[in-house]
Amino acid sequence: MRIVLTLILGFWVVSVHAAGNQALLELLRALHENGTIDRQTYDLVIQAAEQETPAGAEQLQATDETSEQSVREMIRHEIAQVTTKESKKGPTVRVGGRIQLDAATFAEDQARHNDGTEIRRARLFASGELSEYWKYKLQYDFTGTGIDGLQDAYLEYTGLDLFNIRLGHFKEPFSLQNMTSSKYITFMERGMPHVFAEGRNIGLQLHRGGDNWNLYGGVFGDGRDGAGSDNDEGAGFAGRVTWLPWRYDGNLVHLGASVSHRASGSTDTLRFRERPESHVTDTRLVDTGTFDAESFTRVVAETAWVHEMFNLQAEYYHTSVDREISTNPDLDFNGFYVEGGWFITGESMNYKKSGNFSRVKPKTIVGQGGYGAWQLAARYSNLDLDDGDINGGEIDSFTLGLNWFATEYLRFTANYVNVLEVDGGPLSGDEPDVFQLRAQLEF
Amino acid sequence: MRIVLTLILGFWVVSVHAAGNQALLELLRALHENGTIDRQTYDLVIQAAEQETPAGAEQLQATDETSEQSVREMIRHEIAQVTTKESKKGPTVRVGGRIQLDAATFAEDQARHNDGTEIRRARLFASGELSEYWKYKLQYDFTGTGIDGLQDAYLEYTGLDLFNIRLGHFKEPFSLQNMTSSKYITFMERGMPHVFAEGRNIGLQLHRGGDNWNLYGGVFGDGRDGAGSDNDEGAGFAGRVTWLPWRYDGNLVHLGASVSHRASGSTDTLRFRERPESHVTDTRLVDTGTFDAESFTRVVAETAWVHEMFNLQAEYYHTSVDREISTNPDLDFNGFYVEGGWFITGESMNYKKSGNFSRVKPKTIVGQGGYGAWQLAARYSNLDLDDGDINGGEIDSFTLGLNWFATEYLRFTANYVNVLEVDGGPLSGDEPDVFQLRAQLEF
Amino acid sequence: MRIVLTLILGFWVVSVHAAGNQALLELLRALHENGTIDRQTYDLVIQAAEQETPAGAEQLQATDETSEQSVREMIRHEIAQVTTKESKKGPTVRVGGRIQLDAATFAEDQARHNDGTEIRRARLFASGELSEYWKYKLQYDFTGTGIDGLQDAYLEYTGLDLFNIRLGHFKEPFSLQNMTSSKYITFMERGMPHVFAEGRNIGLQLHRGGDNWNLYGGVFGDGRDGAGSDNDEGAGFAGRVTWLPWRYDGNLVHLGASVSHRASGSTDTLRFRERPESHVTDTRLVDTGTFDAESFTRVVAETAWVHEMFNLQAEYYHTSVDREISTNPDLDFNGFYVEGGWFITGESMNYKKSGNFSRVKPKTIVGQGGYGAWQLAARYSNLDLDDGDINGGEIDSFTLGLNWFATEYLRFTANYVNVLEVDGGPLSGDEPDVFQLRAQLEF
């Protein structure tokens, strides 16, 4: 801005002065006095103008090197000023967030599920750069209480060739649907085996990636808030590799694998339980209850395929548990989901270089003469929490979804969830249905 | 910005090039290299400049259509760039908030009220446009815990001629003093019958308005956080109509009516109770206790009158309750308030087209040679929570207020509340006084 | 921006119109229509252009006063517009914050301390000016729950010669290490006698300062959230004076004194207890337990010395308690710390005019070819909570610290804390060690 201003003033004053228009020179002085241009700039401009120049366009042909020097100096001064000012301003801050509003109605079978509305997520974040190569993000979800609402709180250094370093509280690298933001998953809730994903912890992660692959690895503590009272905090490591064996335009095949190992620490116990892919109810259909665990290891095999307006995605999860009480048998749980989508309006899933799906870009926008993007989707999910002495139950579920991306930042989703069967566990035989709606905006 | 830059550069380079000033062309090149102007712009400018043009002002008369075309193209390119960049930037975000600090001292009678200080409200919000016609707001009050602190979280579409649509968590349309922001009400707390107002819920509202009328209607769930454990969530609808039968300059008469019907859902109970128009104490002077209720309907008649520096405002509330236990008698509660104000310094109440009062604009500002706006005000409130088997008590209260609007965004308020009588209920005969102060800022 | 635009357009259109280039005039019209320039500006520019002017450079020599007037008017209009627009925008808002991530491991002795990680602070703030002289700040720490996370929430008026006035929720003026932001203290935690500092309350403070001195005084309530249920809220006053008897370049000697008196109010009790200078553990090594107290007075003597890359700092605290139960003996507790630092890389502590230390500015920046600032530091702390009938214990502790200021806004700290002795109290004889790390960023 200042550069342009100076250039203009420089050119203008040279002309003006040459032409002897005192009134305009006074305006320049006024601009200086009211602070629009600073002293140094003003002096340089006047100095440039005071070079003897012929009237009219001829002054532009001036070969006077001093004048040229003045202008150059002026420019350099301005650029320096802008730079200084920016570095003085310090870190950049961008504020953004998301709101997700849900409503659900249930066709109950055995267990009670209350119809109702809910604010699923209401997040605010600040992110930016502390200085070149040093990025940060701080994100809070107002649906959480106290420290439990804290989401991302990390620092990232991108100045090394070999890898990027991330330090702080963020998602352990694990599974495609887990690493895809809740804003960009196809259905309202992730497929049920997401129960095995670790979520966010305080840790240190290295990431190296190319155009068609990524390698993530990190070590992590347990939670946001120090250890419990009995024992040292649990800790673990996690890693994820993604690879695109084939990519052409928007069409691609994604393959990936994740692993996460963790000492359960503190309480030396674990519990897995899951809702029927709706968060409005608090009733869990499968539930292992609390059991003793020394450590546990989870692996995921990931696949996805995008072909223009179509996509398929599937993941298989396996979890093995080493028990704390040595006489108890080790445990194996697993689950998988398969989902597919079709953009009726011709859009395509948006795969990011980081190995995850991102914001869908509608071809037309509601409010600007368009009707947005429309996507039909279906998913089959399975989660088996039965093994050894643990009878948590196995659940199969089928979901139909309709997404309406009214604009790039606004999305409406309808999901019909049909729980096909609960086999074993506290609610064996339960087969409820859910119909639910979400309005989601991000900024 | 970029458009100006290009225009200038276009004009300048044409002149410059014509005049053969290579030094300035080098500057242009430098500007391009340091990223101030992009490649395409640079090329267009140079291309425009390289048209054969005579020296001096004559080139402006050039009838060369190609040159004119180049400039047009340049402009279009720049406008496109700006547009693209803005749409890339995505939603706009404005961050704002409010702080209200209270101190109160009580002349107690029967019940205990503790003198003290309190942060009444400490809110932060982000609001803006997702894209044209799509507005949003996310607001949190840090005096709340977890999700209970969430205030506005909504989306609004203003692209239809017929009505605006609002979806999310926001205030049900009901009553003038309720819809007027807590920043802009005349006294520190709203008049006591505000106990009947529903507050914010998740819902969908339609709004249509003209220059002197508004019609609001919506359906709403109950609360922010899904249903309780016993039953489906409560739900209801609310509507409000406002009309200015007379308006001339700042002088006006406001008439309005609100209605709200609600099935109590979840617990099938209700409770109404109210403090003595001070939030520093937690003691309620009237209290129905919890009673069974299947549904309830509330209506309000609203009036207001503004004549230059004077204003009057009054509302009457009626609430009827259908009991859950059919042998219990249906109930009727009611209340009203009448208030008036006088701006000693000559300002006037600021009535918004939306049918509510808004920010007072002082004629002079403290810190800029002025003394702000000063307003004297008085209010009489009545709330009757006695009916049938419910003996909640009836209360009458008189309040004197002094408002000092030091700047448009800063206000100090002193209130003297004299509880005239409590008749019936748990604290029958209690007549405490309150003197309280508030400092309020908004940004 | 608009000023430049107008100036340019003015100059340009005058030339253009004179030269009869209709195409460019059309562009001007287009710019007006798409909203880049407003109606009034457009009219003024056209009007200026329509003055009869000779072609080419000669028009600049125009002595036509009307034309000059038009341009002047145009400028004034633009300046007024910019000013109006800014005042319409109202308060300025800057968003910032901090993240502190800790990890600690303990060499336990008697008491249990769990190894672990923790988000020590995660704060977001908005600050700015409501209008000239009226500043505000609202800051929240997401590690707190509900209102307890609220930090600064205040208003400050700087328009008086005599003193600045601050009103709201902020730190009572007390002690050098207390008033120095947690971002800028030398070690991860403040020295143990910080237990006597009052922290933030709602109050009113006056501040007057010169180049080398400050005087702070204020009255304060107790907490953020009104009184407890038994009694009126506690209240107190606090004052602090700082003085630089000697300052030369970055070298200085700081002397200061603080006093704080407080009626304990509400519960009429007190409790002092302290962790071993690590916040990851919740175990306190010294603890008076709850005891009756009517009022208490705390004084601090502060000293600091900065000589280029070296600094020393020491404070002595004394607390006297008047008991509520008159037969109980009055109590005296005290503590002190001495600390010193050495910037290996040649930086210096950054002392602010306000009488506190602030952000260290590294000479070189990591990510820009530098290695940041490195500082070695050591501290000895003592806290004695034994007196009369209260046996809280006395503790001595020694800490070694290493600070790496990678950039001005990013800092890594390693602390080794060696508890030398606990004498008396619930954990008499305990001598744990702590090794802890912190990553801290601010934006």
Side-chain angles (χ1 to χ4, degrees), chain B residues 187-406:
Chain B
F187 300 89
M188 284 171 60
E189 301 297 330
R190 295 183 177 92
M192 291 183 301
H194 179 62
V195 71
F196 296 128
E198 184 62 30
R200 288 176 176 85
N201 283 308
I202 297 177
L204 177 78
Q205 174 189 275
L206 303 184
H207 167 226
R208 185 179 169 90
D211 278 344
N212 63 349
W213 61 278
N214 287 280
L215 203 51
Y216 296 89
V219 291
F220 295 88
D222 186 6
R224 308 154 167 98
D225 199 18
S229 51
D230 289 351
N231 212 331
D232 290 345
E233 189 179 294
F237 64 81
R240 182 175 180 234
V241 54
T242 75
W243 178 45
L244 297 185
W246 182 75
R247 176 167 206 171
Y248 181 74
D249 280 352
N251 304 322
L252 58 86
V253 171
H254 162 104
L255 296 178
S258 301
V259 60
S260 168
H261 176 80
R262 175 160 287 274
S264 48
S266 269
T267 57
D268 287 323
T269 59
L270 271 183
R271 180 181 193 178
F272 296 116
R273 55 179 189 160
E274 189 65 314
R275 297 175 171 90
E277 296 181 346
S278 170
H279 193 270
V280 174
T281 179
D282 281 333
T283 306
R284 274 73 171 191
L285 299 186
V286 287
D287 186 350
T288 61
T290 300
F291 59 91
D292 65 291
E294 191 188 6
S295 71
F296 54 115
T297 303
R298 290 154 295 182
V299 295
V300 184
E302 318 171 9
T303 60
W305 172 77
V306 178
H307 178 71
E308 293 172 2
M309 64 193 77
F310 300 99
N311 74 292
L312 289 176
Q313 179 177 327
E315 293 187 88
Y316 174 81
Y317 297 68
H318 183 88
T319 297
S320 354
V321 181
D322 281 341
R323 305 296 284 272
E324 174 74 8
I325 300 167
S326 55
T327 52
N328 279 340
D330 287 349
L331 301 169
D332 288 282
F333 302 124
N334 51 62
F336 69 88
Y337 72 90
V338 182
E339 67 180 48
W342 168 39
F343 278 99
I344 308 170
T345 44
E347 284 79 2
S348 191
M349 292 293 281
N350 177 12
Y351 186 87
K352 281 193 303 184
K353 218 177 115 180
S354 60
N356 311 307
F357 289 102
S358 183
R359 188 184 299 122
V360 168
K361 293 187 168 57
K363 293 185 171 182
T364 65
I365 299 292
V366 178
Q368 290 168 30
Y371 39 79
W374 291 81
Q375 183 190 29
L376 274 175
R379 178 173 63 193
Y380 186 94
S381 303
N382 166 279
L383 176 63
D384 184 355
L385 298 180
D386 266 342
D387 196 47
D389 55 325
I390 304 300
N391 177 21
E394 177 175 1
I395 182 170
D396 288 274
S397 182
F398 179 77
T399 303
L400 273 176
L402 176 66
N403 291 320
W404 175 34
F405 303 86

Side-chain angles (χ1 to χ4, degrees), chain A residues 20-232:
Chain A
N21 190 326
Q22 287 304 320
L24 291 178
L25 272 178
E26 268 170 40
L27 287 180
L28 176 68
R29 203 147 39 226
L31 278 178
H32 167 48
E33 273 158 18
N34 75 21
T36 308
I37 59 174
D38 67 8
R39 179 81 215 169
Q40 209 173 338
T41 307
Y42 176 76
D43 288 347
L44 280 167
V45 169
I46 290 295
Q47 182 190 328
E50 282 175 353
Q51 305 295 334
E52 284 300 322
T53 49
E58 288 76 21
Q59 39 82 15
L60 290 166
Q61 292 171 322
T63 55
D64 189 338
E65 297 231 338
T66 326
S67 171
E68 195 188 315
Q69 276 306 107
S70 297
V71 177
R72 277 181 186 282
E73 217 170 292
M74 207 157 69
I75 305 270
R76 276 189 219 108
H77 165 64
E78 282 306 310
I79 289 174
Q81 270 231 338
V82 169
T83 316
T84 311
K85 205 174 164 190
E86 272 173 10
S87 82
K88 207 190 288 172
K89 267 192 312 188
T92 61
V93 183
R94 152 155 160 61
V95 173
R98 80 185 69 171
I99 303 175
Q100 293 177 342
L101 298 152
D102 289 5
T105 181
F106 297 83
E108 300 165 347
D109 183 10
Q110 299 179 23
R112 180 86 187 118
H113 301 277
N114 296 313
D115 297 351
T117 58
E118 163 180 273
I119 295 167
R120 180 65 175 94
R121 292 181 179 90
R123 293 189 185 174
L124 202 66
F125 72 80
S127 67
E129 280 203 343
L130 300 180
S131 57
E132 209 183 354
Y133 302 125
W134 292 104
K135 294 186 196 170
Y136 72 90
K137 186 169 188 181
L138 174 60
Q139 185 185 41
Y140 190 80
D141 194 325
F142 293 115
T143 64
T145 297
I147 188 68
D148 291 338
L150 196 81
Q151 306 295 319
D152 287 327
Y154 65 76
L155 172 75
E156 187 161 321
Y157 184 62
T158 59
L160 297 180
D161 288 336
L162 206 57
F163 40 68
N164 295 333
I165 306 174
R166 186 181 284 196
L167 175 67
H169 187 254
F170 56 92
K171 272 189 201 167
E172 295 194 15
F174 185 80
S175 144
L176 176 57
Q177 68 168 349
N178 178 47
M179 300 312 290
T180 297
S181 163
S182 72
K183 302 191 297 276
Y184 308 135
I185 51 175
T186 305
F187 300 88
M188 285 172 59
E189 302 296 331
R190 294 183 176 93
M192 289 183 301
H194 179 62
V195 71
F196 297 127
E198 185 61 31
R200 289 176 176 85
N201 283 308
I202 297 177
L204 177 78
Q205 174 189 277
L206 303 184
H207 167 226
R208 185 180 171 90
D211 278 343
N212 63 348
W213 60 278
N214 287 279
L215 203 51
Y216 296 89
V219 292
F220 295 89
D222 185 6
R224 308 153 168 99
D225 199 18
S229 52
D230 289 352
N231 211 330
D232 291 345

